[in-house]
Protein backbone atom coordinates (compact mmCIF):
# COMPACT_ATOMS: atom_id res chain seq x y z
CA UNK A 1 0.00 0.00 0.00
CA UNK A 2 1.04 3.51 -0.59
CA UNK A 3 2.02 5.76 2.26
CA UNK A 4 -0.59 8.53 2.36
CA UNK A 5 0.36 11.86 3.93
CA UNK A 6 -2.43 14.37 4.47
CA UNK A 7 -1.09 17.91 4.80
CA UNK A 8 -2.69 21.29 5.50
CA UNK A 9 -1.70 22.95 2.23
CA UNK A 10 0.01 22.54 -1.12
CA UNK A 11 2.88 24.65 0.25
CA UNK A 12 3.47 22.17 3.08
CA UNK A 13 3.46 19.34 0.53
CA UNK A 14 5.97 21.25 -1.58
CA UNK A 15 8.32 21.71 1.37
CA UNK A 16 8.03 18.08 2.45
CA UNK A 17 8.81 16.68 -0.99
CA UNK A 18 11.52 19.24 -1.71
CA UNK A 19 13.27 18.35 1.59
CA UNK A 20 13.34 14.73 0.51
CA UNK A 21 14.66 15.50 -2.98
CA UNK A 22 17.32 17.85 -1.58
CA UNK A 23 18.54 15.16 0.82
CA UNK A 24 18.88 12.64 -1.98
CA UNK A 25 20.58 15.08 -4.29
CA UNK A 26 23.30 15.66 -1.71
CA UNK A 27 24.05 11.95 -1.66
CA UNK A 28 23.54 11.39 -5.40
CA UNK A 29 24.40 14.48 -7.50
CA UNK A 30 23.44 12.55 -10.66
CA UNK A 31 19.93 12.00 -9.35
CA UNK A 32 17.33 11.29 -12.07
CA UNK A 33 14.17 13.26 -11.31
CA UNK A 34 10.94 12.42 -13.10
CA UNK A 35 9.05 15.68 -13.54
CA UNK A 36 5.37 16.34 -14.14
CA UNK A 37 3.78 19.46 -15.62
CA UNK A 38 0.44 21.09 -14.82
CA UNK A 39 -0.42 22.94 -11.61
CA UNK A 40 0.19 20.19 -9.06
CA UNK A 41 4.01 19.96 -8.89
CA UNK A 42 4.51 23.75 -8.89
CA UNK A 43 4.79 24.00 -5.05
CA UNK A 44 7.60 21.41 -5.15
CA UNK A 45 9.49 23.34 -7.84
CA UNK A 46 8.98 26.62 -5.92
CA UNK A 47 10.26 25.11 -2.67
CA UNK A 48 13.29 23.65 -4.48
CA UNK A 49 14.01 26.97 -6.21
CA UNK A 50 13.90 28.78 -2.85
CA UNK A 51 16.51 26.52 -1.31
CA UNK A 52 18.54 26.15 -4.49
CA UNK A 53 21.16 28.75 -3.76
CA UNK A 54 21.94 27.26 -0.35
CA UNK A 55 21.69 23.51 -0.51
CA UNK A 56 20.61 22.02 -3.76
CA UNK A 57 22.74 21.72 -6.84
CA UNK A 58 20.98 20.19 -9.83
CA UNK A 59 23.84 20.83 -12.27
CA UNK A 60 24.80 17.12 -12.46
CA UNK A 61 21.24 15.80 -12.17
CA UNK A 62 18.97 14.56 -14.95
CA UNK A 63 15.27 15.21 -15.55
CA UNK A 64 12.70 13.27 -17.57
CA UNK A 65 9.26 14.72 -18.24
CA UNK A 66 6.23 12.45 -18.29
CA UNK A 67 4.63 13.67 -21.46
CA UNK A 68 4.31 16.21 -24.26
CA UNK A 69 1.57 17.43 -26.57
CA UNK A 70 1.78 16.37 -30.20
CA UNK A 71 1.97 18.96 -32.94
CA UNK A 72 2.36 22.27 -31.10
CA UNK A 73 4.67 24.63 -32.99
CA UNK A 74 8.24 24.57 -31.66
CA UNK A 75 8.65 27.05 -28.80
CA UNK A 76 4.88 27.19 -28.08
CA UNK A 77 4.66 28.48 -24.49
CA UNK A 78 2.32 25.62 -23.49
CA UNK A 79 4.43 22.86 -24.99
CA UNK A 80 5.72 20.82 -22.07
CA UNK A 81 9.26 21.40 -23.33
CA UNK A 82 8.69 25.14 -22.76
CA UNK A 83 6.87 24.60 -19.44
CA UNK A 84 9.65 22.38 -18.07
CA UNK A 85 12.23 24.91 -19.22
CA UNK A 86 10.39 27.75 -17.41
CA UNK A 87 9.44 25.90 -14.24
CA UNK A 88 12.22 23.37 -13.78
CA UNK A 89 15.35 23.72 -15.93
CA UNK A 90 15.97 27.43 -15.43
CA UNK A 91 14.83 28.06 -11.84
CA UNK A 92 16.46 24.89 -10.48
CA UNK A 93 19.65 25.21 -12.50
CA UNK A 94 19.53 21.93 -14.44
CA UNK A 95 21.96 21.55 -17.32
CA UNK A 96 19.52 21.85 -20.29
CA UNK A 97 21.32 19.00 -22.09
CA UNK A 98 20.33 16.71 -19.19
CA UNK A 99 16.63 17.56 -19.35
CA UNK A 100 14.51 15.24 -21.48
CA UNK A 101 10.98 15.77 -22.78
CA UNK A 102 9.29 13.41 -25.26
CA UNK A 103 9.51 14.72 -28.82
CA UNK A 104 6.01 15.81 -29.82
CA UNK A 105 6.87 17.12 -33.28
CA UNK A 106 4.62 15.63 -35.92
CA UNK A 107 7.59 14.63 -38.04
CA UNK A 108 8.98 11.35 -36.71
CA UNK A 109 6.17 10.98 -34.19
CA UNK A 110 5.91 7.25 -35.00
CA UNK A 111 9.25 6.61 -33.27
CA UNK A 112 9.02 9.25 -30.50
CA UNK A 113 7.98 6.66 -27.90
CA UNK A 114 10.79 4.23 -28.68
CA UNK A 115 13.38 7.00 -28.68
CA UNK A 116 12.21 8.19 -25.28
CA UNK A 117 12.26 4.69 -23.83
CA UNK A 118 15.84 4.30 -25.07
CA UNK A 119 16.87 7.58 -23.40
CA UNK A 120 15.22 6.50 -20.15
CA UNK A 121 16.98 3.14 -20.23
CA UNK A 122 20.33 4.81 -20.96
CA UNK A 123 19.88 7.05 -17.90
CA UNK A 124 19.77 4.02 -15.63
CA UNK A 125 16.20 4.77 -14.55
CA UNK A 126 14.25 7.44 -12.72
CA UNK A 127 15.07 7.73 -9.01
CA UNK A 128 11.97 9.69 -8.01
CA UNK A 129 8.94 10.30 -10.20
CA UNK A 130 6.66 13.22 -9.37
CA UNK A 131 3.07 12.58 -10.43
CA UNK A 132 -0.12 14.58 -10.54
CA UNK A 133 -3.45 12.92 -11.27
CA UNK A 134 -6.10 14.05 -13.74
CA UNK A 135 -9.82 14.16 -12.98
CA UNK A 136 -10.12 11.15 -15.33
CA UNK A 137 -7.68 9.27 -13.10
CA UNK A 138 -4.80 9.58 -15.57
CA UNK A 139 -1.17 9.65 -14.48
CA UNK A 140 1.10 10.92 -17.20
CA UNK A 141 -1.48 11.13 -19.97
CA UNK A 142 -2.51 7.49 -19.56
CA UNK A 143 -6.22 7.89 -19.93
CA UNK A 144 -8.72 5.22 -18.78
CA UNK A 145 -8.15 1.96 -20.61
CA UNK A 146 -4.35 2.31 -20.69
CA UNK A 147 -2.55 -0.98 -20.25
CA UNK A 148 -0.57 -1.41 -17.04
CA UNK A 149 2.30 -2.67 -19.18
CA UNK A 150 2.23 0.28 -21.60
CA UNK A 151 5.43 2.08 -22.60
CA UNK A 152 5.97 5.59 -23.98
CA UNK A 153 3.65 6.08 -26.97
CA UNK A 154 1.17 8.39 -28.63
CA UNK A 155 -2.19 8.59 -26.87
CA UNK A 156 -5.44 10.44 -27.54
CA UNK A 157 -6.51 12.80 -24.77
CA UNK A 158 -10.05 12.48 -23.45
CA UNK A 159 -12.37 15.40 -24.00
CA UNK A 160 -12.43 15.80 -20.21
CA UNK A 161 -8.64 16.23 -20.05
CA UNK A 162 -8.68 18.69 -22.97
CA UNK A 163 -11.36 20.71 -21.16
CA UNK A 164 -9.37 20.57 -17.89
CA UNK A 165 -6.23 21.82 -19.66
CA UNK A 166 -7.99 24.48 -21.76
CA UNK A 167 -7.19 26.94 -18.95
CA UNK A 168 -3.60 27.05 -20.22
CA UNK A 169 -4.67 27.90 -23.81
CA UNK A 170 -6.65 30.69 -25.49
CA UNK A 171 -9.49 28.28 -26.31
CA UNK A 172 -10.45 24.61 -26.11
CA UNK A 173 -9.82 24.25 -29.85
CA UNK A 174 -6.14 25.00 -29.31
CA UNK A 175 -5.63 22.08 -26.91
CA UNK A 176 -3.98 19.28 -28.87
CA UNK A 177 -5.88 16.01 -29.26
CA UNK A 178 -2.79 13.79 -29.09
CA UNK A 179 0.16 13.50 -26.77
CA UNK A 180 3.25 11.35 -26.27
CA UNK A 181 3.26 9.96 -22.75
CA UNK A 182 5.29 7.57 -20.67
CA UNK A 183 3.22 4.44 -20.27
CA UNK A 184 2.03 3.01 -16.98
CA UNK A 185 4.68 0.32 -17.36
CA UNK A 186 7.31 3.04 -17.83
CA UNK A 187 6.15 4.97 -14.77
CA UNK A 188 6.12 1.82 -12.64
CA UNK A 189 9.85 1.32 -13.36
CA UNK A 190 10.79 4.47 -11.39
CA UNK A 191 12.27 3.63 -7.98
CA UNK A 192 9.97 5.89 -5.98
CA UNK A 193 6.61 7.36 -7.02
CA UNK A 194 5.43 10.56 -5.34
CA UNK A 195 1.85 11.38 -6.26
CA UNK A 196 0.54 14.79 -5.27
CA UNK A 197 -3.03 16.08 -5.43
CA UNK A 198 -4.71 19.22 -4.12
CA UNK A 199 -8.32 20.40 -4.06
CA UNK A 200 -11.77 18.84 -3.95
CA UNK A 201 -11.76 18.27 -7.71
CA UNK A 202 -9.16 15.52 -7.27
CA UNK A 203 -10.85 13.70 -4.36
CA UNK A 204 -12.56 10.97 -6.45
CA UNK A 205 -9.45 10.29 -8.53
CA UNK A 206 -7.27 10.07 -5.40
CA UNK A 207 -9.68 7.68 -3.69
CA UNK A 208 -9.87 5.54 -6.84
CA UNK A 209 -6.10 5.47 -7.27
CA UNK A 210 -5.26 4.72 -3.62
CA UNK A 211 -8.17 2.61 -2.43
CA UNK A 212 -10.18 1.58 -5.45
CA UNK A 213 -9.82 -1.65 -7.37
CA UNK A 214 -6.70 -1.96 -9.49
CA UNK A 215 -8.18 -1.41 -12.93
CA UNK A 216 -7.24 0.10 -16.26
CA UNK A 217 -10.41 2.17 -15.94
CA UNK A 218 -8.61 4.11 -13.17
CA UNK A 219 -5.02 4.37 -14.47
CA UNK A 220 -3.83 5.96 -11.22
CA UNK A 221 -4.62 2.68 -9.44
CA UNK A 222 -1.45 1.32 -11.10
CA UNK A 223 0.43 2.88 -8.16
CA UNK A 224 -0.95 0.05 -5.99
CA UNK A 225 1.37 -2.31 -7.89
CA UNK A 226 4.52 -0.39 -6.92
CA UNK A 227 6.60 -1.14 -3.84
CA UNK A 228 7.50 2.45 -2.92
CA UNK A 229 4.76 5.04 -3.30
CA UNK A 230 4.16 8.24 -1.36
CA UNK A 231 0.86 10.06 -1.84
CA UNK A 232 0.80 13.63 -0.53
CA UNK A 233 -2.62 15.29 -0.52
CA UNK A 234 -4.35 18.23 1.11
CA UNK A 235 -7.54 17.77 3.18
CA UNK A 236 -9.81 18.49 0.21
CA UNK A 237 -8.13 15.93 -2.06
CA UNK A 238 -8.20 13.44 0.84
CA UNK A 239 -11.90 13.98 1.52
CA UNK A 240 -13.09 10.77 -0.21
CA UNK A 241 -10.48 8.46 1.31
CA UNK A 242 -12.16 5.76 3.43
CA UNK A 243 -9.09 5.13 5.55
CA UNK A 244 -8.04 8.75 6.10
CA UNK A 245 -8.10 8.33 9.88
CA UNK A 246 -5.75 5.39 9.65
CA UNK A 247 -3.34 7.33 7.38
CA UNK A 248 -3.25 10.15 9.95
CA UNK A 249 -2.71 7.67 12.78
CA UNK A 250 0.11 5.99 10.86
CA UNK A 251 1.79 9.37 10.29
CA UNK A 252 1.54 10.24 13.98
CA UNK A 253 3.24 6.95 14.84
CA UNK A 254 5.74 6.86 12.04
CA UNK A 255 9.21 5.72 13.08
CA UNK A 256 11.58 8.69 12.77
CA UNK A 257 14.15 6.71 10.76
CA UNK A 258 11.71 5.87 7.98
CA UNK A 259 11.73 9.11 5.96
CA UNK A 260 9.59 9.33 2.84
C1 LIG B 1 1.41 16.32 -16.46
C2 LIG B 1 0.68 15.06 -16.40
C3 LIG B 1 -0.72 14.96 -15.91
C4 LIG B 1 -1.06 15.96 -14.80
C5 LIG B 1 -2.54 15.88 -14.47
C6 LIG B 1 -2.95 16.84 -13.39
O1 LIG B 1 2.72 16.09 -16.96
O2 LIG B 1 1.23 14.08 -16.78
O3 LIG B 1 -0.95 13.66 -15.45
O4 LIG B 1 -0.28 15.69 -13.68
O5 LIG B 1 -3.28 16.16 -15.63
O6 LIG B 1 -2.80 18.15 -13.86
P1 LIG B 1 -2.85 19.38 -12.87
O7 LIG B 1 -1.69 19.24 -11.97
O8 LIG B 1 -2.71 20.61 -13.75
O9 LIG B 1 -4.15 19.31 -12.16
Amino acid sequence: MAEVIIVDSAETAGRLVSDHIAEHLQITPEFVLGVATGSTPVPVYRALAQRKAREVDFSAAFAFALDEYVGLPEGHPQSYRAVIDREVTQPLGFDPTRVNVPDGRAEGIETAGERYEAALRASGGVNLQLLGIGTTGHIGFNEPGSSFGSLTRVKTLTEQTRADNARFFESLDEVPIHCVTQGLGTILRAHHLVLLAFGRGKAEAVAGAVEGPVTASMPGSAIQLHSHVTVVVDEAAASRLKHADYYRWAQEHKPAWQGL
Side-chain angles (χ1 to χ4, degrees), residues 35-42 65-68 80 84 130-142 161 164-165 167-168 181 187 196-198 202:
V35 289
T37 46
S39 309
T40 306
V42 170
L66 281 169
D67 38 25
E68 174 61 292
Y80 283 171
I84 292 291
L130 294 169
L131 296 169
I133 187 163
T135 55
T136 63
H138 69 220
I139 53 175
F141 274 143
N142 295 282
T161 296
D164 287 346
N165 287 6
R167 69 189 192 279
F168 296 113
T181 181
I187 292 170
L196 301 141
F198 310 117
K202 298 293 175 73

Side-chain angles (χ1 to χ4, degrees), residues 136-160:
T136 63
H138 69 220
I139 53 175
F141 274 143
N142 295 282
E143 298 286 24
S146 294
S147 148
F148 282 5
S150 52
L151 302 178
T152 308
R153 71 230 184 277
V154 172
K155 282 290 285 183
T156 306
L157 296 170
T158 57
E159 289 184 79
Q160 177 68 52

Side-chain angles (χ1 to χ4, degrees), residues 159-200:
E159 289 184 79
Q160 177 68 52
T161 296
R162 291 185 67 240
D164 287 346
N165 287 6
R167 69 189 192 279
F168 296 113
F169 293 82
E170 302 270 304
S171 72
L172 177 60
D173 290 345
E174 276 189 34
V175 185
I177 292 175
H178 296 103
C179 62
V180 190
T181 181
Q182 289 190 29
L184 294 174
T186 317
I187 292 170
L188 289 173
R189 290 201 309 259
H191 298 301
H192 181 193
L193 303 180
V194 177
L195 187 143
L196 301 141
F198 310 117
R200 179 65 188 79

Side-chain angles (χ1 to χ4, degrees), residues 12-259:
T12 305
R15 274 197 304 276
L16 183 79
V17 176
S18 80
D19 284 351
H20 179 75
I21 294 172
E23 256 172 52
H24 272 260
L25 197 62
Q26 275 168 356
I27 303 162
T28 313
E30 299 200 335
F31 196 76
V32 183
L33 182 64
V35 289
T37 46
S39 309
T40 306
V42 170
V44 178
Y45 303 145
R46 289 226 176 99
L48 283 170
Q50 275 167 12
R51 49 193 305 169
K52 187 191 130 210
R54 283 173 291 136
E55 318 139 51
V56 295
D57 178 5
F58 280 101
S59 60
F62 294 84
F64 280 87
L66 281 169
D67 38 25
E68 174 61 292
Y69 291 116
V70 170
L72 287 180
E74 212 155 329
H76 189 290
Q78 292 310 326
S79 73
Y80 283 171
R81 165 63 73 186
V83 172
I84 292 291
D85 192 50
R86 246 182 354 252
E87 290 176 0
V88 178
T89 312
Q90 290 185 26
L92 304 191
F94 274 89
D95 171 351
T97 65
R98 293 177 176 229
V99 176
N100 301 270
V101 180
D103 183 355
R105 287 175 297 183
E107 198 168 309
I109 195 66
E110 302 85 346
T111 59
E114 280 166 43
R115 284 183 275 132
Y116 205 60
E117 286 290 327
L120 275 162
R121 273 195 301 275
S123 77
V126 169
N127 291 108
L128 183 149
Q129 178 64 57
L130 294 169
L131 296 169
I133 187 163
T135 55
T136 63
H138 69 220
I139 53 175
F141 274 143
N142 295 282
E143 298 286 24
S146 294
S147 148
F148 282 5
S150 52
L151 302 178
T152 308
R153 71 230 184 277
V154 172
K155 282 290 285 183
T156 306
L157 296 170
T158 57
E159 289 184 79
Q160 177 68 52
T161 296
R162 291 185 67 240
D164 287 346
N165 287 6
R167 69 189 192 279
F168 296 113
F169 293 82
E170 302 270 304
S171 72
L172 177 60
D173 290 345
E174 276 189 34
V175 185
I177 292 175
H178 296 103
C179 62
V180 190
T181 181
Q182 289 190 29
L184 294 174
T186 317
I187 292 170
L188 289 173
R189 290 201 309 259
H191 298 301
H192 181 193
L193 303 180
V194 177
L195 187 143
L196 301 141
F198 310 117
R200 179 65 188 79
K202 298 293 175 73
E204 276 76 22
V206 167
V210 175
E211 297 178 339
V214 174
T215 165
S217 297
M218 170 50 71
S221 67
I223 65 170
Q224 295 178 44
L225 300 173
H226 196 282
S227 62
H228 189 186
V229 184
T230 309
V231 176
V232 188
V233 288
D234 65 4
E235 294 284 349
S239 60
R240 299 299 299 270
L241 288 169
K242 281 201 282 292
H243 304 297
D245 288 344
Y246 168 67
Y247 306 139
R248 290 196 184 90
W249 162 262
Q251 282 305 307
E252 280 163 25
H253 297 88
K254 182 170 169 163
W257 53 265
Q258 261 182 351

